[in-house]
Structure formats: structure tokens, C-alpha cells
């Protein structure tokens, strides 16, 4: 009897498993839908069939903070044959994840292993961000999961934005924001016009709330591309600006204006316990032999660049509050805020008017008309000297005094000014200030090209070169420089290298060397064929698969000239074609001609704004085909 009962029990378990499996497998309709979505999103494995995002607000009267409750419910579908993805959510000391759950389509819980750990990034030395994540497997096409997530923010100032896109294409999404009448809140819309997004705003007098319902359809997945503009330029999203709240007839201001943002920043600065006496000895050492004020400033600024290791450090309030200067000085490392504060305090000890300065790099689309923590992501130091303002960024290794990195040029800065503040803009440099040149004077000797070469770097091209070179270990520097000059091509042999001081950021970097190029000359009967272009600059800058604008690290201005002596008894019978193209964003010129007994092959590339726009990709790709055709053309010399 017991055996019979055991058999029935086992049979019952297998039957229930089979039934459950049947209820979670995709239906024929699911498979058909998955295939149709896949046709439109061929590079995605998973799609968000439907998403409901719900944001509500509460009040922590005791701490005088507005809280936020953020709930997301997604239906995820595998649109490929099978898929494995990681679903993840971030939180930190200012937020908590209340739930992070997955269910099969029959609403039964899917028990995936959920991990919870500190977020690690190559860009961050330490931060308080944690990530909760799970690896989700979709065994067959059309398979679905229901995902739900709830997160609470302790303070609305840290709930800064809502992005409408996802890592995966979204078929339909609804974002509902319920704003109680006691909360003054502004929703700022960005990048919505090119997407299917509609807004329905209603007022509920009974519950004293205003409801904003955004309906989103057919949003493609985000594209992770290098050298692309920041997400705030590309994707549809809202900035959440909580201005004030009212309780029992009393209005409490939050971030209603830039002055309120500055007031909060200043409160963090005022809470610092500075001890500048610990800096005096080093400041005296750095300035005692300086003959001018500018030399004193440079000595301090460059010392911070060279001796303080940059780390990114985000830990609650420490993500916004600078570390005390003496701490950074003693530890010899700090984040941008700590480095800016050390620069400021050392300059003050030396008798200069130096101030902390907040800034959003070019990765951020906003300016200081918006009072939000999303507006800036960086801190530098501003020095006021002889009626001029100079912006000092200690994190930019090998930037010269008075030169500014592309990532901050043209951006607004918020400068401390006692109880008030100043808003200024970082000057914008022209491409000419970053000029890089290459000149080679060659002749043919035993079916090789030999001669002398000169290279020079100015502005950000110099800073970039010096940073790369000086980050190489000393015992590898010579080999690394040789590899760089030869383009790691065994046919290019480098010798007799001479350089200017490769630690001096105030002068142009100049490199001279002897060059021998093998396998570039072929002689048949009465003709010599020469592959003169051995550099082929920008030849791989193809954007056939790219979606977003391409941003260069800085505005490029590159000039190259290769001169070839024509051997006695030969004449030129074929030269590469010339080319010239000018647009709003770039100039390209290639020319090859005979001047006396030399062939002069010159190239000029100027990327005026440091980018190639996605709208220009077709024209650029067409131009690149012509450039590469010229690069691959041989020069023909015929015995006269």
C-alpha cells in the first residue's frame, strides 16, 4: 500500500512539473511575435514587450526630505533562438531596493540566483554604489519572463532622471508619475521629439495629485559605441527637478534655482575641516625659486598633476563633498574634488585667489539653468589673476597652464564666490592649437626608402602624447617609442631618435629620427614603383555600422608632408590623384605633385569641432573610399 501511495505521489509531482512546463513554454503566437520583432531588431536577443513604470512621492517629515518610490514591471521576451542576459539594478547609500523578482508567464516564481555586491568599475577606485543582478536564461525563441523591481530613494534630490529607453528594444511602455499637490516638481523633457512618445496629464482633485502618463512605443535599444556623445544627448528622458514642498502651510525650498544648488554645495564645502599649515612647507619649496607669479602657479598646478594620483571616489555625500586638502596631500591620491581642493588651498597659501569650481563635462547635455545634481560631474579650480580667470584641472595630466581639455571647453562652470556664485564658460580652442605635424624627406637606396623624419605635437596632441609616453614604465619607454614611430611595422626601421624634453608640457614636443622603409619600392625593367604613403592616417575611420556621432578626443589638425628625391635618370610618369573636401565639421586635402627633382606628397586633416556627425556618415564613408584609393596608388618612375 505504501509503495502504491509513493508511486501516486511521484506521478503527481511529474504531472505537476509537466503542467507547469506547459504553462511557461511559448505559445505559437509568442513564437510568431518573437520572429516579427527580431526582423526589426536583428542585433537584439531580447525585447521588452511591455513595461509599466510607476513613480510616487512621500514625505519624511522628521528629516524634512521628500522620498521617492519607483516601481517597474516588465515583460521580457526572447526574440532569438536562445538568450542569456544579465538583469541588473543599481542602488547606493541614498536608496534601497525593496524587490527584485522574476516570474514565468504563468506567474510562478522563477528562482534565479540573485547576487548583491559593490559595483566595480575601471573608472572608480571606490564608491558606495551596489548592484543587484541575476543571469536570466531564455531556452527558446518566444520565451517570456515577468520582471518586477521596486526601489526607494531617501531624498528626491538623488532621483534625477528617468530614461525611456532600455538595454533592449521596447515595444510598448508606460511611465506614470504621480505628483502630490504639496510637492512642486518640474519635469524637463529631453530628446523626445524623434520618438513615438505621448503625454496625458490629468488632475485628481479627490486624491490631490497630478498624474503624468507617458506612453512610449517602438523605442530601439541603446547603442554602446566608443567615442559617442553622452546618453543625455542621445536618448529620450526626463529630468526630475523637485523645487519645494509644503507641509502645514510651511513651504520648504529644495532645488528651486541654481542658488539653491550652490547653497547645498557650499554647505558641504563649509563643513570641511581644512588645515592649510600642513601645505606650507611644500608650497614654499615649490615657489621659492620662481621668478614670476605665473611660474609659481605653474609649479603648484603641475606638482598636483604629477604627484597626486587620480581616483574616482563616490561614497554617499563624499560623492559631492571634496576631501580636505591635507588628506589628499598626505595620501597622494584623490578624486577630482579632492584634487581641485588641494590645488585651491596650495594656491591660497601662496597668496593667490583660487576657488572651487563645479562643471559638467561634454558628456552632459545640461547647463546651470537647471538646478539638479545631474548638471555637473566634475570639479576643477579657478584662479583669478591680473583680471583674468584660469581654469586648472589637476586630473588632466600634462595639460599646460592656460590650456583646457576638449571635454570641458565651452562648458559652463559654477565658481564659488562667498555666499553668491559666478557662472562662466571655459574658453574654446581652435584646432590649430592642437596641430600635429609629420615631415619625411626620403630617397631611394637599394629598393628601400631612407631618410629623415620630423614630428611635432602641440596643445592636446602634445598632452595626449606625453600622458601616454610617461605612463609607460621607464625600462619600456625606448621600445614603446620605437614601436610608436614605426607603427609597429617591421618594415619600418627607426634609428637615431632625438626628442625635446618629454616631461615639459609648456613647449611643443619635437621628435627627429632616421627612417628606413623596406618593401615599398619595386623595380621592373625601366620602371620603379613606389608605395609612398606608409602612414595612411584615418584610413580605418569607417562608419558603415555606426549609429551615433563620432567624437574625437580633441579637435584634430594634422599636417603631413612626404618628400621623395627623384633618382637621376628617371622621370615621373604616374602620381596619385589629388583630393579636397570641405564641410562644416572637417577639411581634408591630399595632393601629390612634382617640384623640381622632388615628389611632394602632402596631407591635411582638420576636424574643426572634434566630431563627425551621424548625418555626415554617408558622405564621410564615400570620402574615405577615395582617400584609401589614393593611399593605395603607386607612384611610377620611368627611366628617361
Amino acid at each position: 500500500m505504501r509503495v502504491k501511495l509513493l508511486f501516486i505521489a511521484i506521478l503527481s509531482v511529474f504531472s505537476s512539473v509537466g503542467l507547469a512546463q506547459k504553462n511557461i513554454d511559448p505559445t505559437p503566437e509568442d513564437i510568431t511575435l518573437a520572429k516579427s520583432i527580431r526582423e526589426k531588431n536583428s542585433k537584439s536577443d531580447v525585447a521588452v514587450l511591455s513595461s509599466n513604470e510607476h513613480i510616487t512621492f512621500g514625505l519624511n517629515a522628521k528629516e524634512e526630505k521628500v522620498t521617492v518610490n519607483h516601481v517597474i514591471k516588465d515583460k521580457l521576451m526572447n526574440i532569438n533562438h536562445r538568450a542569456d542576459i544579465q538583469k541588473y539594478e543599481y542602488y547606493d547609500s541614498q536608496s534601497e531596493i525593496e524587490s527584485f523578482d522574476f516570474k514565468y508567464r504563468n506567474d510562478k516564481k522563477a528562482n534565479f540566483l540573485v547576487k548583491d555586491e559593490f559595483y566595480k568599475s575601471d573608472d572608480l577606485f571606490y564608491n558606495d554604489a551596489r548592484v543587484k543582478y541575476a543571469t536570466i536564461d531564455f531556452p527558446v525563441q518566444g520565451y517570456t519572463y515577468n520582471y518586477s523591481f521596486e526601489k526607494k530613494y531617501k531624498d528626491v534630490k538623488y532621483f534625477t532622471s528617468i530614461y525611456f529607453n532600455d538595454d533592449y528594444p521596447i515595444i510598448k511602455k508606460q511611465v506614470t508619475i504621480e505628483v502630490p499637490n504639496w510637492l512642486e516638481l518640474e519635469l524637463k523633457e529631453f530628446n523626445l521629439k524623434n520618438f513615438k512618445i505621448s503625454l496625458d496629464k490629468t488632475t485628481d482633485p479627490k486624491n490631490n495629485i497630478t498624474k503624468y502618463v507617458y506612453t512610449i512605443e517602438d523605442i530601439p535599444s541603446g547603442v554602446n559605441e566608443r567615442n559617442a556623445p553622452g546618453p543625455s544627448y542621445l536618448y529620450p528622458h526626463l529630468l526630475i527637478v523637485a523645487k519645494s514642498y509644503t507641509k502645514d502651510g510651511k513651504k520648504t525650498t529644495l532645488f528651486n534655482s541654481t542658488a539653491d544648488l550652490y547653497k547645498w554645495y557650499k554647505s558641504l564645502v563649509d563643513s570641511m575641516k581644512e588645515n592649510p599649515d600642513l601645505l606650507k612647507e611644500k608650497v614654499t619649496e615649490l615657489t621659492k625659486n620662481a621668478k614670476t607669479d605665473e611660474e609659481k602657479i605653474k609649479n603648484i598646478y603641475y606638482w598636483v598633476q604629477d604627484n597626486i594620483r587620480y581616483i574616482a571616489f563616490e561614497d554617499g555625500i563624499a560623492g559631492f563633498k571634496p576631501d580636505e586638502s591635507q588628506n589628499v596631500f598626505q595620501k597622494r591620491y584623490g578624486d577630482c574634488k579632492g584634487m581641485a581642493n588641494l590645488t585651491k588651498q596650495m594656491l591660497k597659501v601662496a597668496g593667490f585667489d583660487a576657488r572651487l569650481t563645479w562643471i559638467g563635462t561634454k558628456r552632459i547635455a545640461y547647463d546651470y539653468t537647471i538646478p539638479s545634481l545631474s548638471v555637473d560631474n566634475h570639479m576643477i579650480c579657478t584662479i583669478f589673476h591680473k583680471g583674468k580667470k584660469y581654469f586648472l584641472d589637476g586630473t588632466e595630466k600634462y595639460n599646460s597652464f592656460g590650456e583646457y581639455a576638449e571635454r570641458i571647453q565651452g562648458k559652463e562652470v559654477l565658481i564659488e564666490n562667498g555666499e553668491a556664485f559666478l557662472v562662466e564658460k571655459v574658453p574654446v580652442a581652435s584646432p590649430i592649437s592642437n596641430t600635429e605635424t609629420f615631415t619625411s624627406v626620403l630617397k631611394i637606396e637599394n629598393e628601400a626608402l631612407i631618410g629623415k623624419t620630423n614630428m611635432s605635437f602641440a596643445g592636446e596632441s602634445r598632452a595626449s602624447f606625453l600622458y601616454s609616453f610617461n605612463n609607460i614604465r621607464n625600462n619600456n619607454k625606448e621600445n614603446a617609442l620605437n614601436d610608436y614611430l614605426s607603427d609597429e611595422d617591421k618594415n619600418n626601421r627607426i634609428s637615431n631618435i632625438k626628442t625635446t624634453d618629454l616631461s615639459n608640457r609648456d613647449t611643443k614636443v619635437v621628435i627627429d629620427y632616421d627612417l628606413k622603409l623596406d618593401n615599398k619600392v619595386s623595380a621592373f625593367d625601366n620602371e620603379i614603383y613606389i608605395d609612398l604613403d606608409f602612414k595612411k592616417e584615418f584610413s580605418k575611420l569607417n562608419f558603415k555600422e555606426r549609429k551615433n556621432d563620432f567624437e574625437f578626443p580633441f579637435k584634430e589638425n594634422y599636417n603631413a608632408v612626404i618628400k621623395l628625391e627623384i633618382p637621376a635618370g628617371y622621370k615621373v610618369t604616374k602620381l596619385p590623384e589629388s583630393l579636397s573636401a570641405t564641410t562644416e565639421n572637417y577639411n581634408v586635402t591630399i595632393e601629390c605633385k612634382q617640384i623640381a627633382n622632388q615628389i611632394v606628397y602632402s596631407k591635411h586633416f582638420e576636424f574643426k569641432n572634434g566630431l563627425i556627425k551621424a548625418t555626415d556618415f554617408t558622405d564621410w564613408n564615400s570620402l574615405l573610399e577615395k582617400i584609401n584609393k589614393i593611399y593605395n596608388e603607386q607612384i611610377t618612375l620611368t627611366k628617361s
Side-chain angles (χ1 to χ4, degrees):
M1 184 67 178
R2 288 181 179 176
V3 174
K4 183 177 181 182
L5 288 174
L6 180 61
F7 175 75
I8 292 171
I10 293 172
L11 184 63
S12 175
V13 169
F14 277 106
S15 297
S16 63
V17 170
L19 183 61
Q21 183 70 27
K22 183 177 180 182
N23 288 337
I24 66 175
D25 283 343
T27 65
E29 292 78 12
D30 289 336
I31 296 171
T32 300
L33 178 60
K35 289 179 178 179
S36 66
I37 296 173
R38 174 71 176 176
E39 287 178 2
K40 299 176 183 177
N41 301 275
S42 60
K43 293 190 176 180
S44 295
D45 293 330
V46 171
V48 180
L49 282 188
S50 63
S51 176
N52 284 285
E53 200 164 338
H54 196 189
I55 296 101
T56 56
F57 301 89
L59 182 61
N60 182 341
K62 184 178 180 181
E63 296 186 13
E64 296 186 335
K65 291 179 179 178
V66 175
T67 60
V68 184
N69 196 56
H70 188 190
V71 177
I72 297 175
K73 294 182 179 179
D74 290 346
K75 185 174 184 179
L76 305 171
M77 172 179 273
N78 173 28
I79 59 175
N80 207 347
H81 298 296
R82 69 159 289 117
D84 294 287
I85 66 167
Q86 265 195 358
K87 193 66 179 170
Y88 55 89
E89 301 290 350
Y90 298 108
Y91 68 103
D92 54 31
S93 59
Q94 297 296 327
S95 59
E96 297 173 351
I97 292 180
E98 301 284 308
S99 65
F100 184 73
D101 299 313
F102 301 88
K103 292 182 179 179
Y104 297 108
R105 72 178 182 89
N106 64 0
D107 222 28
K108 298 292 183 182
K109 185 175 179 63
N111 291 309
F112 294 112
L113 176 63
V114 176
K115 296 184 179 181
D116 190 334
E117 59 190 40
F118 279 108
Y119 172 63
K120 301 178 183 68
S121 167
D122 292 339
D123 298 327
L124 293 174
F125 177 79
Y126 176 79
N127 73 109
D128 70 328
R130 294 186 67 90
V131 60
K132 187 169 280 195
Y133 64 98
T135 300
I136 315 302
D137 66 287
F138 295 81
V140 292
Q141 191 174 42
Y143 208 85
T144 59
Y145 290 105
N146 296 317
Y147 163 70
S148 63
F149 156 79
E150 183 173 1
K151 182 177 180 180
K152 290 189 175 179
Y153 292 82
K154 301 174 185 178
D155 190 337
V156 69
K157 71 163 62 79
Y158 298 103
F159 181 67
T160 56
S161 59
I162 301 170
Y163 275 78
F164 293 152
N165 67 304
D166 199 288
D167 292 338
Y168 314 105
I170 297 172
I171 308 308
K172 189 163 186 178
K173 179 172 186 164
Q174 200 167 74
V175 177
T176 302
I177 306 167
E178 295 186 5
V179 183
N181 288 0
W182 51 263
L183 176 63
E184 183 186 4
L185 183 137
E186 183 180 4
L187 302 177
K188 288 187 170 290
E189 300 177 349
F190 290 85
N191 310 323
L192 268 59
K193 66 179 182 179
N194 294 325
F195 299 92
K196 294 180 183 178
I197 300 174
S198 61
L199 169 62
D200 180 34
K201 178 182 176 182
T202 58
T203 302
D204 183 352
K206 182 179 178 181
N207 295 310
N208 293 319
I209 64 169
T210 300
K211 186 182 289 186
Y212 300 83
V213 180
Y214 285 90
T215 302
I216 302 107
E217 296 182 34
D218 298 324
I219 298 287
S221 60
V223 180
N224 185 17
E225 294 178 321
R226 295 185 66 182
N227 297 89
S232 57
Y233 290 95
L234 303 175
Y235 303 125
H237 66 282
L238 304 175
L239 273 194
I240 313 298
V241 183
K243 297 188 169 186
S244 67
Y245 71 87
T246 303
K247 180 175 172 56
D248 299 330
K250 179 187 174 184
K251 183 176 180 179
T252 300
T253 300
L254 300 171
F255 283 170
N256 187 51
S257 66
T258 305
D260 300 316
L261 178 65
Y262 175 72
K263 182 179 178 181
W264 186 72
Y265 282 159
K266 186 176 183 299
S267 71
L268 301 180
V269 174
D270 289 345
S271 69
M272 294 160 55
K273 295 178 173 61
E274 287 292 331
N275 186 0
D277 288 343
L278 296 177
L279 310 176
K280 286 182 178 178
E281 183 179 349
K282 175 55 69 174
V283 171
T284 300
E285 176 193 327
L286 292 171
T287 58
K288 65 181 179 182
N289 296 323
K291 297 177 181 177
T292 65
D293 282 351
E294 183 174 306
E295 192 176 347
K296 290 179 182 178
I297 296 167
K298 284 183 179 181
N299 289 350
I300 291 170
Y301 178 38
Y302 295 167
W303 184 89
V304 173
Q305 285 186 355
D306 293 344
N307 293 277
I308 305 300
R309 183 166 63 96
Y310 169 71
I311 61 170
F313 186 99
E314 296 181 7
D315 183 14
I317 291 297
F320 300 93
K321 177 184 174 182
D323 194 5
E324 282 82 359
S325 59
Q326 65 271 13
N327 294 341
V328 178
F329 176 75
Q330 290 171 337
K331 294 182 296 187
R332 291 295 200 267
Y333 67 79
D335 66 0
C336 64
K337 298 176 294 297
M339 294 177 76
N341 186 43
L342 176 60
T343 306
K344 166 192 168 178
Q345 299 298 341
M346 292 181 76
L347 287 168
K348 285 183 68 177
V349 169
F352 296 103
D353 180 4
R355 311 182 192 182
L356 293 179
T357 302
W358 293 263
I359 183 172
T361 64
K362 280 198 170 178
R363 187 168 178 78
I364 293 178
Y366 324 122
D367 59 32
Y368 282 107
T369 61
I370 304 172
S372 168
L373 297 181
S374 289
V375 172
D376 48 54
N377 62 346
H378 192 39
M379 182 178 278
I380 58 177
C381 172
T382 301
I383 184 167
F384 291 65
H385 186 59
K386 295 183 178 179
K388 292 184 178 181
K389 301 179 188 71
Y390 298 92
F391 303 102
L392 311 182
D393 186 350
T395 69
E396 289 291 344
K397 307 297 184 184
Y398 296 98
N399 255 30
S400 180
F401 175 65
E403 292 182 352
Y404 309 117
E406 178 69 25
R407 66 180 185 139
I408 67 171
Q409 288 181 28
K411 294 294 292 184
E412 280 191 350
V413 292
L414 185 73
I415 307 171
E416 63 177 341
N417 189 36
E419 296 301 317
F421 60 89
L422 300 172
V423 175
E424 302 281 351
K425 277 191 175 182
V426 178
V428 176
S430 69
I432 293 174
S433 63
N434 302 325
T435 297
E436 178 182 346
T437 67
F438 177 91
T439 304
S440 232
V441 180
L442 306 172
K443 64 181 180 180
I444 299 172
E445 186 176 281
N446 298 326
E447 296 196 356
L449 296 176
I450 65 166
K452 296 187 177 296
T453 297
N454 170 276
M455 299 178 71
S456 70
F457 305 85
E460 286 200 75
S461 73
R462 179 203 62 237
S464 177
F465 175 84
L466 290 179
Y467 177 77
S468 299
F469 179 78
N470 286 289
N471 269 294
I472 300 166
R473 292 187 178 183
N474 285 332
N475 58 339
N476 293 328
K477 276 184 164 59
E478 186 177 340
N479 290 336
L481 183 57
N482 199 296
D483 288 344
Y484 173 79
L485 298 176
S486 67
D487 298 316
E488 297 188 23
D489 185 341
K490 292 180 180 179
N491 291 310
N492 300 355
R493 284 185 273 175
I494 310 296
S495 61
N496 196 27
I497 301 173
K498 297 177 182 178
T499 72
T500 52
D501 181 0
L502 296 185
S503 64
N504 188 341
R505 71 211 76 194
D506 285 330
T507 60
K508 185 186 295 185
V509 167
V510 179
I511 305 174
D512 291 290
Y513 57 93
D514 293 341
L515 175 66
K516 182 178 181 182
L517 299 167
D518 294 322
N519 296 322
K520 301 296 180 184
V521 180
S522 303
F524 298 99
D525 298 328
N526 294 323
E527 293 185 321
I528 299 175
Y529 302 93
I530 306 153
D531 295 306
L532 189 59
D533 197 321
F534 55 95
K535 297 295 289 183
K536 296 180 169 56
E537 301 88 346
F538 307 105
S539 62
K540 296 180 180 178
L541 205 60
N542 188 294
F543 302 126
K544 288 183 179 178
E545 301 296 324
R546 192 176 176 91
K547 301 296 182 184
N548 298 313
D549 295 354
F550 179 87
E551 293 187 339
F552 293 87
F554 49 85
K555 302 180 189 75
E556 298 261 5
N557 186 57
Y558 179 82
N559 292 295
V561 178
I562 303 174
K563 297 179 180 180
L564 176 66
E565 180 184 315
I566 302 169
Y570 282 85
K571 64 179 180 180
V572 177
T573 51
K574 184 183 178 184
L575 292 175
E577 296 178 8
S578 295
L579 177 149
S580 180
T582 300
T583 72
E584 180 185 356
N585 288 304
Y586 57 80
N587 292 328
V588 177
T589 304
I590 301 176
E591 187 176 36
C592 190
K593 57 187 178 181
Q594 180 178 350
I595 300 177
N597 71 327
Q598 284 187 326
I599 294 169
V600 180
Y601 179 53
S602 59
K603 293 174 284 186
H604 173 62
F605 290 85
E606 179 187 24
F607 296 97
K608 307 173 193 177
N609 301 305
L611 88 164
I612 300 177
K613 292 184 176 180
T615 51
D616 292 336
F617 283 172
T618 300
D619 290 341
W620 171 261
N621 290 336
S622 176
L623 175 63
L624 187 64
E625 288 183 10
K626 296 175 183 177
I627 291 171
N628 283 328
K629 181 182 176 184
I630 293 172
Y631 282 170
N632 293 321
E633 285 184 8
Q634 291 183 314
I635 291 172
T636 305
L637 305 180
T638 304
K639 188 174 289 187
S640 37

